[in-house]
Amino acid sequence: MPSTGAYSIMKKAPVNKIIQFSNVDGPGNRTAIFFQGCPFNCMFCHNPETIHMCSSCGLCVSKCPAGALAFDEGGKVVWDSGKCVQCDTCIKLCPHDASPRVTWMSVEEVLQQIRRCAPYIDGITCSGGECTLRSEFMTELFREVVRLGKTCLIDSNGSYDFEKDPALLEFSQGVMLDVKAAERSWSEKLISDPGDMVLKNLDYLKNIGKLYEVRTVILPGRDTENENTVRYVAEHIGDACFYKIIRYRPFGVRERFLKILGEEETDEAYAGRYASLARELGASKAYVV
Amino acid sequence: MSDALNIIQDPTLTYKQELLALARLGESTDDSLRYSDEYYEAKRKGALCDLNEGVMPYRPRYICPDYELLFKKGCEFLQLDPPKDLLEAVNVLEIFYCHVPSITSFPVYLGDLDKLLEPFVIKEDRAYAKKVLGLFLRNIDRVQTDSFVHADIGPEDSVTGRILLELTEEMQLAVPNLTLRYDPERTSDDFALACVKCMLKTAKPSFANHRMFVSEWGEKYAIASCYNGLSIGGGGFTLPRLRLYECALDAKSPDDFIERELPRHIDLQLEYMDKRVKFIVEQSSFFKTNFLVTEGFVKQENFTGMFGVVGLAECCNYLLGIEDKKKGFGMNREATELGIRIMKEIDRRVSEHEAPYCDAYGHRYRLHAQVGIDSDGMDDSPGTRIPIGVEPTMLEQLEVNEKFHPFFPTGTGDIFKFEETYIKTPEAILPIIKGSLANGLRYFSGYLENNDVVRVTGYLVKKSEIEKLRAKKQSLNNVTVFGMGAQDGGHALDRRVQHHEESSGK
Ligand code: SF4
Ligand code: SF4
């Protein structure tokens, strides 16, 4: 069975990619670090290849047109970044929602890349997958990044019990939290998790002033679910942070979920209604992206 | 058919463009300014290029008048008194601009407009001031019809600077080119951010490293034409260029190039510059009788010669036998290191040369990373830029640029194209500009994908105007035709776009 991958005692974390300059992962210009592995399985996930760890089943190896994939002596699938031409063949055919293009990196290795970007960025954002699966790694990373005078943001699906990890939050400017569903039954369908922890985090992070923003994806035609979620979030956060109303976009969504969610993207006006609703309910910093 | 007849019958030339082309043709009938046989041979091979400056220079290439002086004492020759209010100020400038010569016959430097006009602007009602400045900009765009016409603002925030930005955005004009002189201590983030927003919508202003320019020129420097650093009250005599790729074609190895071919070509270009500078000063009437000189708006000692280079990337790739540009200069440490070695050698040899005149700079010429001309095609990338189409990530591109920009006091720069989402996040661009200027970048230009006004290699054109030329209609702007050539031959509008999902390709 593919797993989400336990934290390695060697203090290395599986990194899917590092984007040197990003303008969409928090305020200003940021270096974004994407970790591999996620405990949820959201229907509308745009990069499902980040969900599981590669099980080395080997299916993709012979299909790589660039010869960038091979087995090592232990039978593990290894990826040669120098040869890879980023054609995405491997991730498209992987039946396990995994990717062979993952590098296990130490804090120091990640830091080296961040130091290079440091003169040009406001800070970093850890994302995923779900970055909090690497909370210990992140805490160490953040400690160093803060020393460089840069800010650290956490982009999280809310599955992690933040209350139990004050050290992580101490070095972080805040969390960008996804709240995808407010009702348990809908949450179980949409993200394969009842979502209790997400809602707990919403309140907890807000109360300690570490909620940087909340995001909700608006699905086309799901009036009830959309409204319930937006209502819940708006009533809980008020004007404490930004509330990003995100339009569902079918790009990258897996075939079987496209059948359920549809191939239409949410139109701007429809999403706009929920932003207005949120603002009416007191979430004054709600807007559509 | 004679050359003259060709010009006269060309349907795409406006009357003024015909006149300038005919003047150039007339100039070319004299050959009293002669160079060595070796010079002509190198020129024929394409290793040296005079940028069609014309064989008989009758004015310096770039002239940067001291407009502060104009406002202080007026101009006797043009019968202009010092202006007393905003209307008079813009009127004085509009008249004066028409009498400032240059290689293109248009003024390449319009002054530090915010500083010049601020005392008048703040005395007026803002809406009225904006109306006057709008008409002023319209006058410049329709009368000084050439994208090498350049105005400067900053480093400080000002009412005038803000109004000029607003108008630039509202009017979407290709002329004038505009630069913010950026100083981290004197330019507020708020003003810089306003400039970034304007840049995304109109491809201007660009950002100049104020501290770097001040350290080389003192406070009174101008950014003129594309991105040329020059002295206010002075300018540039001439700008020929080494086409480094062609210079390297006879070299047997990198060492052979640096020891033999490069110095040989440098000396030929210096010979050319010396002769032209002497001719301009000693033979042509400009420095003897032009009112700009006699009334002190420019001083001959403040002029220098601009020693241009292009095609460093292709030169390095050729010398190292690198055929795949994607693995060459900019992406490949060895090629980039070779580039630095070559630039150091050029810098050393040029600075050892005793130039005629150029008194204010210890009789030295100054280096210039020439921005390329349409006929360069893909053989020689502008200055020391990484070839279009193979740019690495933005970070890597900046790091390479930072190594080369300090070599060029008379100008260099690079251009970054941003994708649409950046219009909503200008604050993601400012730290990039600040960081790169602090790390040695000299000049940063950017524009947004899908804009009409775009930056080609250093100047601005409207894509809609290029389309006019393609349809064999006339374009008022002299430079549109270069933009078309650079788009066709050099793919100058196809540079890499900074995407929000740009992987480091770890
Ligand atoms: S990436 Fe997917 S297909 Fe390739 S070896 Fe790993 S689990 Fe198998
Ligand atoms: S994306 Fe995957 S399949 Fe394509 S070259 Fe890279 S490793 Fe091979």
mmCIF file of all heavy atoms in Angstrom, chain A residues 17-24 28-29 79 81 86 103 105 113 116-117 119-122, chain B residues 393 395-396 398-399 402 421-422 425 427-428 431-432 435-436 439 498 500-502 504 506:
data_model
loop_
_atom_site.group_PDB
_atom_site.id
_atom_site.type_symbol
_atom_site.label_atom_id
_atom_site.label_comp_id
_atom_site.label_asym_id
_atom_site.label_seq_id
_atom_site.Cartn_x
_atom_site.Cartn_y
_atom_site.Cartn_z
ATOM 1 N N LYS A 17 8.953 19.851 -4.905
ATOM 2 C CA LYS A 17 9.657 20.892 -5.656
ATOM 3 C C LYS A 17 9.832 22.138 -4.825
ATOM 4 O O LYS A 17 9.166 22.332 -3.811
ATOM 5 C CB LYS A 17 8.943 21.219 -6.964
ATOM 6 C CG LYS A 17 7.633 21.927 -6.812
ATOM 7 C CD LYS A 17 7.072 22.277 -8.190
ATOM 8 C CE LYS A 17 5.608 22.624 -8.065
ATOM 9 N NZ LYS A 17 4.896 22.590 -9.324
ATOM 10 N N ILE A 18 10.762 22.957 -5.290
ATOM 11 C CA ILE A 18 10.974 24.256 -4.668
ATOM 12 C C ILE A 18 10.802 25.296 -5.759
ATOM 13 O O ILE A 18 11.453 25.217 -6.794
ATOM 14 C CB ILE A 18 12.386 24.352 -4.046
ATOM 15 C CG1 ILE A 18 12.520 23.340 -2.916
ATOM 16 C CG2 ILE A 18 12.659 25.772 -3.551
ATOM 17 C CD1 ILE A 18 13.875 23.319 -2.241
ATOM 18 N N ILE A 19 9.894 26.217 -5.532
ATOM 19 C CA ILE A 19 9.728 27.311 -6.484
ATOM 20 C C ILE A 19 10.472 28.508 -5.916
ATOM 21 O O ILE A 19 10.185 28.973 -4.820
ATOM 22 C CB ILE A 19 8.235 27.631 -6.704
ATOM 23 C CG1 ILE A 19 7.570 26.437 -7.400
ATOM 24 C CG2 ILE A 19 8.065 28.889 -7.551
ATOM 25 C CD1 ILE A 19 6.108 26.625 -7.675
ATOM 26 N N GLN A 20 11.455 28.970 -6.667
ATOM 27 C CA GLN A 20 12.319 30.036 -6.152
ATOM 28 C C GLN A 20 11.533 31.320 -5.894
ATOM 29 O O GLN A 20 11.630 31.900 -4.828
ATOM 30 C CB GLN A 20 13.457 30.298 -7.141
ATOM 31 C CG GLN A 20 14.407 29.114 -7.258
ATOM 32 C CD GLN A 20 15.350 29.238 -8.448
ATOM 33 O OE1 GLN A 20 15.034 29.886 -9.450
ATOM 34 N NE2 GLN A 20 16.512 28.616 -8.341
ATOM 35 N N PHE A 21 10.797 31.769 -6.902
ATOM 36 C CA PHE A 21 10.007 33.006 -6.775
ATOM 37 C C PHE A 21 8.542 32.675 -7.030
ATOM 38 O O PHE A 21 8.175 32.267 -8.120
ATOM 39 C CB PHE A 21 10.423 34.042 -7.821
ATOM 40 C CG PHE A 21 11.812 34.607 -7.648
ATOM 41 C CD1 PHE A 21 12.336 35.456 -8.627
ATOM 42 C CD2 PHE A 21 12.590 34.323 -6.541
ATOM 43 C CE1 PHE A 21 13.603 36.003 -8.502
ATOM 44 C CE2 PHE A 21 13.868 34.856 -6.406
ATOM 45 C CZ PHE A 21 14.385 35.699 -7.385
ATOM 46 N N SER A 22 7.720 32.872 -6.023
ATOM 47 C CA SER A 22 6.289 32.648 -6.214
ATOM 48 C C SER A 22 5.521 33.881 -5.773
ATOM 49 O O SER A 22 5.812 34.453 -4.718
ATOM 50 C CB SER A 22 5.839 31.436 -5.404
ATOM 51 O OG SER A 22 4.419 31.424 -5.352
ATOM 52 N N ASN A 23 4.542 34.277 -6.546
ATOM 53 C CA ASN A 23 3.693 35.410 -6.169
ATOM 54 C C ASN A 23 2.310 34.952 -5.728
ATOM 55 O O ASN A 23 1.431 35.762 -5.524
ATOM 56 C CB ASN A 23 3.584 36.410 -7.332
ATOM 57 C CG ASN A 23 2.824 35.844 -8.518
ATOM 58 O OD1 ASN A 23 2.878 34.652 -8.775
ATOM 59 N ND2 ASN A 23 2.099 36.686 -9.239
ATOM 60 N N VAL A 24 2.104 33.640 -5.626
ATOM 61 C CA VAL A 24 0.772 33.158 -5.264
ATOM 62 C C VAL A 24 0.759 32.312 -3.993
ATOM 63 O O VAL A 24 -0.248 31.726 -3.655
ATOM 64 C CB VAL A 24 0.141 32.335 -6.418
ATOM 65 C CG1 VAL A 24 -0.111 33.225 -7.617
ATOM 66 C CG2 VAL A 24 1.013 31.155 -6.793
ATOM 67 N N GLY A 28 3.765 39.017 -1.106
ATOM 68 C CA GLY A 28 5.063 39.389 -1.662
ATOM 69 C C GLY A 28 5.666 38.276 -2.491
ATOM 70 O O GLY A 28 4.971 37.407 -3.008
ATOM 71 N N ASN A 29 6.981 38.337 -2.595
ATOM 72 C CA ASN A 29 7.696 37.317 -3.360
ATOM 73 C C ASN A 29 8.229 36.281 -2.387
ATOM 74 O O ASN A 29 8.905 36.628 -1.427
ATOM 75 C CB ASN A 29 8.852 37.975 -4.122
ATOM 76 C CG ASN A 29 9.506 37.015 -5.099
ATOM 77 O OD1 ASN A 29 8.840 36.179 -5.715
ATOM 78 N ND2 ASN A 29 10.821 37.116 -5.243
ATOM 79 N N TRP A 79 15.132 8.887 -9.358
ATOM 80 C CA TRP A 79 14.875 9.884 -10.400
ATOM 81 C C TRP A 79 16.128 10.726 -10.610
ATOM 82 O O TRP A 79 16.747 11.173 -9.648
ATOM 83 C CB TRP A 79 13.700 10.744 -9.940
ATOM 84 C CG TRP A 79 13.422 11.983 -10.735
ATOM 85 C CD1 TRP A 79 13.027 12.058 -12.027
ATOM 86 C CD2 TRP A 79 13.492 13.340 -10.268
ATOM 87 N NE1 TRP A 79 12.835 13.379 -12.393
ATOM 88 C CE2 TRP A 79 13.109 14.176 -11.331
ATOM 89 C CE3 TRP A 79 13.825 13.930 -9.036
ATOM 90 C CZ2 TRP A 79 13.072 15.572 -11.221
ATOM 91 C CZ3 TRP A 79 13.781 15.310 -8.931
ATOM 92 C CH2 TRP A 79 13.401 16.119 -10.020
ATOM 93 N N SER A 81 17.266 14.109 -11.830
ATOM 94 C CA SER A 81 16.698 15.418 -12.188
ATOM 95 C C SER A 81 17.400 16.027 -13.403
ATOM 96 O O SER A 81 16.801 16.774 -14.167
ATOM 97 C CB SER A 81 16.782 16.377 -11.002
ATOM 98 O OG SER A 81 18.140 16.610 -10.677
ATOM 99 N N GLN A 86 10.711 17.057 -17.658
ATOM 100 C CA GLN A 86 9.444 17.559 -17.090
ATOM 101 C C GLN A 86 8.249 17.303 -18.019
ATOM 102 O O GLN A 86 7.402 18.166 -18.189
ATOM 103 C CB GLN A 86 9.554 19.076 -16.806
ATOM 104 C CG GLN A 86 10.747 19.484 -15.994
ATOM 105 C CD GLN A 86 10.653 19.095 -14.524
ATOM 106 O OE1 GLN A 86 9.572 18.870 -13.989
ATOM 107 N NE2 GLN A 86 11.793 18.974 -13.859
ATOM 108 N N THR A 103 12.723 14.450 -4.007
ATOM 109 C CA THR A 103 14.090 14.394 -3.486
ATOM 110 C C THR A 103 14.045 14.477 -1.964
ATOM 111 O O THR A 103 13.407 15.381 -1.417
ATOM 112 C CB THR A 103 14.902 15.597 -4.021
ATOM 113 O OG1 THR A 103 14.688 15.698 -5.424
ATOM 114 C CG2 THR A 103 16.386 15.412 -3.750
ATOM 115 N N MET A 105 15.508 15.682 1.126
ATOM 116 C CA MET A 105 16.469 16.747 1.376
ATOM 117 C C MET A 105 16.629 17.009 2.861
ATOM 118 O O MET A 105 15.673 16.902 3.627
ATOM 119 C CB MET A 105 16.016 18.047 0.692
ATOM 120 C CG MET A 105 15.982 17.948 -0.835
ATOM 121 S SD MET A 105 15.317 19.450 -1.576
ATOM 122 C CE MET A 105 16.742 20.539 -1.519
ATOM 123 N N GLN A 113 19.184 26.508 -0.762
ATOM 124 C CA GLN A 113 18.389 27.103 -1.833
ATOM 125 C C GLN A 113 17.715 28.394 -1.376
ATOM 126 O O GLN A 113 17.613 29.352 -2.126
ATOM 127 C CB GLN A 113 17.328 26.105 -2.302
ATOM 128 C CG GLN A 113 17.962 24.856 -2.858
ATOM 129 C CD GLN A 113 17.266 24.393 -4.123
ATOM 130 O OE1 GLN A 113 16.564 25.158 -4.779
ATOM 131 N NE2 GLN A 113 17.479 23.146 -4.475
ATOM 132 N N ARG A 116 20.048 31.390 -1.294
ATOM 133 C CA ARG A 116 20.271 31.967 -2.623
ATOM 134 C C ARG A 116 19.132 32.924 -3.010
ATOM 135 O O ARG A 116 19.350 33.952 -3.624
ATOM 136 C CB ARG A 116 20.317 30.813 -3.627
ATOM 137 C CG ARG A 116 21.468 30.900 -4.573
ATOM 138 C CD ARG A 116 21.426 29.732 -5.510
ATOM 139 N NE ARG A 116 21.381 30.220 -6.873
ATOM 140 C CZ ARG A 116 21.228 29.420 -7.926
ATOM 141 N NH1 ARG A 116 21.060 28.122 -7.774
ATOM 142 N NH2 ARG A 116 21.226 29.932 -9.124
ATOM 143 N N CYS A 117 17.943 32.552 -2.604
ATOM 144 C CA CYS A 117 16.778 33.389 -2.954
ATOM 145 C C CYS A 117 16.631 34.584 -2.012
ATOM 146 O O CYS A 117 15.951 35.565 -2.336
ATOM 147 C CB CYS A 117 15.493 32.569 -2.890
ATOM 148 S SG CYS A 117 15.472 31.173 -4.027
ATOM 149 N N PRO A 119 18.016 37.325 -0.953
ATOM 150 C CA PRO A 119 18.054 38.771 -1.247
ATOM 151 C C PRO A 119 16.799 39.285 -1.951
ATOM 152 O O PRO A 119 16.553 40.485 -1.958
ATOM 153 C CB PRO A 119 19.269 38.920 -2.173
ATOM 154 C CG PRO A 119 20.078 37.685 -2.005
ATOM 155 C CD PRO A 119 19.125 36.609 -1.582
ATOM 156 N N TYR A 120 16.055 38.385 -2.562
ATOM 157 C CA TYR A 120 14.960 38.819 -3.435
ATOM 158 C C TYR A 120 13.573 38.495 -2.890
ATOM 159 O O TYR A 120 12.585 38.725 -3.564
ATOM 160 C CB TYR A 120 15.084 38.132 -4.800
ATOM 161 C CG TYR A 120 16.474 38.137 -5.372
ATOM 162 C CD1 TYR A 120 17.357 37.076 -5.141
ATOM 163 C CD2 TYR A 120 16.907 39.206 -6.138
ATOM 164 C CE1 TYR A 120 18.636 37.083 -5.667
ATOM 165 C CE2 TYR A 120 18.191 39.221 -6.665
ATOM 166 C CZ TYR A 120 19.048 38.159 -6.423
ATOM 167 O OH TYR A 120 20.313 38.166 -6.942
ATOM 168 N N ILE A 121 13.501 37.880 -1.719
ATOM 169 C CA ILE A 121 12.185 37.417 -1.251
ATOM 170 C C ILE A 121 11.792 38.051 0.079
ATOM 171 O O ILE A 121 12.640 38.560 0.818
ATOM 172 C CB ILE A 121 12.144 35.875 -1.099
ATOM 173 C CG1 ILE A 121 13.243 35.393 -0.144
ATOM 174 C CG2 ILE A 121 12.256 35.199 -2.462
ATOM 175 C CD1 ILE A 121 13.153 33.926 0.230
ATOM 176 N N ASP A 122 10.482 38.002 0.346
ATOM 177 C CA ASP A 122 9.980 38.443 1.639
ATOM 178 C C ASP A 122 10.054 37.313 2.646
ATOM 179 O O ASP A 122 10.187 37.542 3.835
ATOM 180 C CB ASP A 122 8.528 38.888 1.497
ATOM 181 C CG ASP A 122 8.402 40.111 0.621
ATOM 182 O OD1 ASP A 122 8.854 41.177 1.055
ATOM 183 O OD2 ASP A 122 7.890 40.001 -0.503
ATOM 184 N N THR B 393 15.884 30.231 -14.806
ATOM 185 C CA THR B 393 14.878 30.842 -13.936
ATOM 186 C C THR B 393 15.262 32.298 -13.706
ATOM 187 O O THR B 393 16.401 32.697 -13.905
ATOM 188 C CB THR B 393 14.799 30.142 -12.569
ATOM 189 O OG1 THR B 393 16.037 30.334 -11.883
ATOM 190 C CG2 THR B 393 14.515 28.656 -12.714
ATOM 191 N N LEU B 395 15.711 33.911 -11.011
ATOM 192 C CA LEU B 395 16.791 34.045 -10.034
ATOM 193 C C LEU B 395 18.146 33.873 -10.696
ATOM 194 O O LEU B 395 19.058 34.676 -10.515
ATOM 195 C CB LEU B 395 16.616 33.001 -8.922
ATOM 196 C CG LEU B 395 17.797 32.860 -7.957
ATOM 197 C CD1 LEU B 395 17.973 34.116 -7.116
ATOM 198 C CD2 LEU B 395 17.630 31.646 -7.047
ATOM 199 N N GLU B 396 18.268 32.833 -11.497
ATOM 200 C CA GLU B 396 19.559 32.567 -12.135
ATOM 201 C C GLU B 396 19.912 33.663 -13.137
ATOM 202 O O GLU B 396 21.071 34.074 -13.245
ATOM 203 C CB GLU B 396 19.527 31.188 -12.805
ATOM 204 C CG GLU B 396 19.558 30.067 -11.775
ATOM 205 C CD GLU B 396 18.950 28.749 -12.250
ATOM 206 O OE1 GLU B 396 18.157 28.749 -13.204
ATOM 207 O OE2 GLU B 396 19.262 27.719 -11.643
ATOM 208 N N LEU B 398 19.042 36.775 -12.920
ATOM 209 C CA LEU B 398 19.477 37.938 -12.154
ATOM 210 C C LEU B 398 20.909 37.768 -11.669
ATOM 211 O O LEU B 398 21.724 38.683 -11.748
ATOM 212 C CB LEU B 398 18.554 38.167 -10.952
ATOM 213 C CG LEU B 398 17.142 38.662 -11.282
ATOM 214 C CD1 LEU B 398 16.249 38.571 -10.053
ATOM 215 C CD2 LEU B 398 17.182 40.093 -11.808
ATOM 216 N N GLU B 399 21.204 36.557 -11.183
ATOM 217 C CA GLU B 399 22.559 36.321 -10.657
ATOM 218 C C GLU B 399 23.620 36.523 -11.739
ATOM 219 O O GLU B 399 24.689 37.074 -11.471
ATOM 220 C CB GLU B 399 22.659 34.899 -10.087
ATOM 221 C CG GLU B 399 21.923 34.733 -8.770
ATOM 222 C CD GLU B 399 21.882 33.278 -8.296
ATOM 223 O OE1 GLU B 399 22.054 32.354 -9.132
ATOM 224 O OE2 GLU B 399 21.662 33.064 -7.109
ATOM 225 N N GLU B 402 23.932 40.291 -12.491
ATOM 226 C CA GLU B 402 24.609 41.048 -11.437
ATOM 227 C C GLU B 402 26.126 41.000 -11.588
ATOM 228 O O GLU B 402 26.829 41.905 -11.155
ATOM 229 C CB GLU B 402 24.198 40.511 -10.058
ATOM 230 C CG GLU B 402 22.751 40.871 -9.699
ATOM 231 C CD GLU B 402 22.151 39.940 -8.658
ATOM 232 O OE1 GLU B 402 22.892 39.078 -8.132
ATOM 233 O OE2 GLU B 402 20.944 40.077 -8.385
ATOM 234 N N THR B 421 -0.850 37.119 -13.695
ATOM 235 C CA THR B 421 -1.234 37.204 -12.281
ATOM 236 C C THR B 421 -0.462 38.295 -11.550
ATOM 237 O O THR B 421 -0.885 38.757 -10.496
ATOM 238 C CB THR B 421 -0.994 35.881 -11.526
ATOM 239 O OG1 THR B 421 0.400 35.565 -11.575
ATOM 240 C CG2 THR B 421 -1.799 34.735 -12.105
ATOM 241 N N TYR B 422 0.682 38.704 -12.101
ATOM 242 C CA TYR B 422 1.483 39.710 -11.407
ATOM 243 C C TYR B 422 0.805 41.076 -11.344
ATOM 244 O O TYR B 422 1.157 41.901 -10.517
ATOM 245 C CB TYR B 422 2.877 39.820 -12.039
ATOM 246 C CG TYR B 422 3.831 38.785 -11.500
ATOM 247 C CD1 TYR B 422 3.980 37.551 -12.110
ATOM 248 C CD2 TYR B 422 4.568 39.035 -10.343
ATOM 249 C CE1 TYR B 422 4.836 36.595 -11.602
ATOM 250 C CE2 TYR B 422 5.428 38.090 -9.816
ATOM 251 C CZ TYR B 422 5.566 36.865 -10.455
ATOM 252 O OH TYR B 422 6.421 35.926 -9.932
ATOM 253 N N THR B 425 -0.325 41.324 -8.052
ATOM 254 C CA THR B 425 0.654 41.198 -6.962
ATOM 255 C C THR B 425 1.928 41.986 -7.254
ATOM 256 O O THR B 425 3.022 41.426 -7.222
ATOM 257 C CB THR B 425 1.035 39.718 -6.730
ATOM 258 O OG1 THR B 425 1.639 39.219 -7.948
ATOM 259 C CG2 THR B 425 -0.127 38.858 -6.358
ATOM 260 N N GLU B 427 3.444 43.785 -5.386
ATOM 261 C CA GLU B 427 4.343 43.733 -4.233
ATOM 262 C C GLU B 427 5.237 42.489 -4.264
ATOM 263 O O GLU B 427 6.181 42.392 -3.489
ATOM 264 C CB GLU B 427 3.576 43.864 -2.908
ATOM 265 C CG GLU B 427 2.553 42.791 -2.607
ATOM 266 C CD GLU B 427 1.274 42.890 -3.448
ATOM 267 O OE1 GLU B 427 1.059 43.913 -4.133
ATOM 268 O OE2 GLU B 427 0.510 41.916 -3.421
ATOM 269 N N ALA B 428 4.954 41.563 -5.177
ATOM 270 C CA ALA B 428 5.855 40.408 -5.330
ATOM 271 C C ALA B 428 7.030 40.757 -6.242
ATOM 272 O O ALA B 428 7.996 40.009 -6.317
ATOM 273 C CB ALA B 428 5.090 39.211 -5.891
ATOM 274 N N PRO B 431 10.380 43.361 -4.165
ATOM 275 C CA PRO B 431 11.557 42.776 -3.505
ATOM 276 C C PRO B 431 12.583 42.211 -4.495
ATOM 277 O O PRO B 431 13.789 42.212 -4.208
ATOM 278 C CB PRO B 431 10.973 41.671 -2.617
ATOM 279 C CG PRO B 431 9.560 41.503 -3.005
ATOM 280 C CD PRO B 431 9.114 42.740 -3.702
ATOM 281 N N ILE B 432 12.119 41.762 -5.639
ATOM 282 C CA ILE B 432 13.049 41.240 -6.644
ATOM 283 C C ILE B 432 13.904 42.387 -7.174
ATOM 284 O O ILE B 432 15.128 42.273 -7.302
ATOM 285 C CB ILE B 432 12.276 40.575 -7.813
ATOM 286 C CG1 ILE B 432 11.414 39.427 -7.299
ATOM 287 C CG2 ILE B 432 13.244 40.101 -8.892
ATOM 288 C CD1 ILE B 432 10.563 38.750 -8.380
ATOM 289 N N GLY B 435 16.277 43.622 -4.336
ATOM 290 C CA GLY B 435 17.350 42.661 -4.076
ATOM 291 C C GLY B 435 18.384 42.677 -5.180
ATOM 292 O O GLY B 435 19.589 42.662 -4.925
ATOM 293 N N SER B 436 17.918 42.738 -6.414
ATOM 294 C CA SER B 436 18.881 42.665 -7.502
ATOM 295 C C SER B 436 19.693 43.953 -7.598
ATOM 296 O O SER B 436 20.896 43.912 -7.842
ATOM 297 C CB SER B 436 18.179 42.335 -8.823
ATOM 298 O OG SER B 436 17.152 43.248 -9.085
ATOM 299 N N ASN B 439 22.336 43.878 -5.157
ATOM 300 C CA ASN B 439 23.377 42.898 -5.492
ATOM 301 C C ASN B 439 24.167 43.246 -6.745
ATOM 302 O O ASN B 439 24.891 42.410 -7.260
ATOM 303 C CB ASN B 439 22.740 41.521 -5.695
ATOM 304 C CG ASN B 439 22.528 40.806 -4.382
ATOM 305 O OD1 ASN B 439 22.822 41.339 -3.327
ATOM 306 N ND2 ASN B 439 22.027 39.592 -4.453
ATOM 307 N N GLN B 498 7.979 35.107 -16.525
ATOM 308 C CA GLN B 498 8.024 34.688 -15.138
ATOM 309 C C GLN B 498 6.634 34.213 -14.759
ATOM 310 O O GLN B 498 5.697 34.988 -14.641
ATOM 311 C CB GLN B 498 8.480 35.829 -14.224
ATOM 312 C CG GLN B 498 8.394 35.521 -12.735
ATOM 313 C CD GLN B 498 9.339 34.417 -12.285
ATOM 314 O OE1 GLN B 498 10.254 34.037 -13.016
ATOM 315 N NE2 GLN B 498 9.122 33.884 -11.105
ATOM 316 N N HIS B 500 3.863 32.055 -12.295
ATOM 317 C CA HIS B 500 3.728 31.850 -10.860
ATOM 318 C C HIS B 500 4.058 30.419 -10.486
ATOM 319 O O HIS B 500 4.304 30.105 -9.359
ATOM 320 C CB HIS B 500 2.352 32.272 -10.354
ATOM 321 C CG HIS B 500 1.231 31.498 -10.945
ATOM 322 N ND1 HIS B 500 0.749 31.744 -12.190
ATOM 323 C CD2 HIS B 500 0.519 30.470 -10.458
ATOM 324 C CE1 HIS B 500 -0.242 30.897 -12.453
ATOM 325 N NE2 HIS B 500 -0.395 30.122 -11.430
ATOM 326 N N GLU B 501 4.100 29.519 -11.449
ATOM 327 C CA GLU B 501 4.471 28.145 -11.158
ATOM 328 C C GLU B 501 5.786 27.851 -11.858
ATOM 329 O O GLU B 501 5.830 27.162 -12.858
ATOM 330 C CB GLU B 501 3.394 27.180 -11.667
ATOM 331 C CG GLU B 501 2.207 27.044 -10.762
ATOM 332 C CD GLU B 501 2.522 26.317 -9.475
ATOM 333 O OE1 GLU B 501 2.528 25.090 -9.482
ATOM 334 O OE2 GLU B 501 2.795 26.975 -8.451
ATOM 335 N N GLU B 502 6.847 28.460 -11.378
ATOM 336 C CA GLU B 502 8.098 28.216 -12.051
ATOM 337 C C GLU B 502 9.006 27.393 -11.150
ATOM 338 O O GLU B 502 9.458 27.841 -10.117
ATOM 339 C CB GLU B 502 8.781 29.522 -12.416
ATOM 340 C CG GLU B 502 10.021 29.263 -13.211
ATOM 341 C CD GLU B 502 10.517 30.547 -13.804
ATOM 342 O OE1 GLU B 502 11.300 31.202 -13.108
ATOM 343 O OE2 GLU B 502 10.119 30.867 -14.911
ATOM 344 N N SER B 504 12.239 25.384 -9.860
ATOM 345 C CA SER B 504 13.673 25.592 -9.954
ATOM 346 C C SER B 504 14.292 24.452 -10.748
ATOM 347 O O SER B 504 15.458 24.473 -11.075
ATOM 348 C CB SER B 504 14.287 25.621 -8.564
ATOM 349 O OG SER B 504 14.145 24.353 -7.982
ATOM 350 N N LYS B 506 14.896 21.575 -9.712
ATOM 351 C CA LYS B 506 15.870 21.083 -8.749
ATOM 352 C C LYS B 506 16.598 19.817 -9.185
ATOM 353 O O LYS B 506 16.010 18.924 -9.700
ATOM 354 C CB LYS B 506 15.154 20.776 -7.437
ATOM 355 C CG LYS B 506 15.912 21.151 -6.255
ATOM 356 C CD LYS B 506 15.546 20.287 -5.091
ATOM 357 C CE LYS B 506 16.023 18.864 -5.187
ATOM 358 N NZ LYS B 506 17.393 18.621 -5.485
#
